[in-house]
Amino acid sequence: MNQKAERVAVCPGSYDPVTNGHLDIITRASHIFDRVVVGVVNQPIRKKKTLFTADERISFIEEATAHLGNVEVQAFYTLLVEFARDNGAQAIVKGLRAISDFEYENEMAQLNSKLDSEIESFYVFARPEYSFLSSTGVKEMATFNGDVGDLVPAPVAAALADRLGRD
Ligand code: PNS
């Protein structure tokens, strides 16, 4: 019998915290690939200290993706291509919101391809309703007690209000 290889994608990010835009990309990837491994970078190199610990960021995503049977969440501490290889993934899937994302993502895709040309980077266009949405923007809104209820899962909104909201 001709057995088809399992198609596995990794969806990497800082996810500090996960937004509904991230969850839309993960969900859409889960419809195309047999298995999706969400990779939560332990300590992002190009960013300041994260607001939430890796364990917290992982829990938020696990809770929000529990209904998707082919999605799992892991922390990673290595090069992304190593994390992909360790999980038997052939693809990196990321969202692309606007032209402003393009330059950085183009650099990332080229660097990752140089490190391992067997692993393809695929970019999924953000839906219009999420094209303005970022973890940074959500944190700024929460700092000034703005309503982020439509932008992140309810447990994330509560945690943001708890950690950042002003009395
Ligand atoms: O959500 P982010 O912060 O845009 O995610 C960035 C991430 C985690 C995708 C990126 O920093 C990454 O891939 N880090 C692991 C190190 C690595 O492999 N870098 C790219 C090649 S040098």
Side-chain angles (χ1 to χ4, degrees), residues 74-129:
Q74 292 178 26
F76 76 101
Y77 310 84
T78 60
L79 280 173
L80 177 55
V81 291
E82 280 177 42
F83 177 70
R85 279 197 299 261
D86 290 348
N87 281 285
Q90 306 88 354
I92 296 165
V93 174
K94 297 186 80 180
L96 203 60
R97 289 164 301 187
I99 295 172
S100 50
D101 281 344
F102 179 82
E103 214 168 328
Y104 170 72
E105 293 301 346
N106 186 35
E107 180 190 335
M108 282 292 143
Q110 305 296 339
L111 287 173
N112 286 324
S113 170
K114 177 125 190 75
L115 288 165
D116 190 331
S117 60
E118 303 266 291
I119 297 176
E120 282 294 345
S121 292
F122 290 93
Y123 286 87
V124 179
F125 280 110
R127 293 191 197 282
E129 60 266 40

Side-chain angles (χ1 to χ4, degrees), residues 136-157:
T136 305
V138 162
K139 282 182 280 196
E140 187 163 334
M141 285 173 74
T143 301
F144 297 99
N145 298 332
D147 182 4
V148 297
D150 286 350
L151 307 178
V152 294
V156 175

Side-chain angles (χ1 to χ4, degrees), residues 43-80:
Q43 183 53 61
I45 289 181
R46 298 197 194 199
K47 291 183 179 162
K48 286 184 286 181
K49 199 180 165 327
T50 57
L51 176 64
F52 295 104
T53 65
D55 284 347
E56 288 170 324
R57 288 177 277 142
I58 287 169
S59 297
F60 291 141
I61 304 169
E62 279 178 342
E63 197 174 342
T65 59
H67 62 291
L68 300 170
N70 61 342
V71 173
E72 64 194 80
V73 192
Q74 292 178 26
F76 76 101
Y77 310 84
T78 60
L79 280 173
L80 177 55

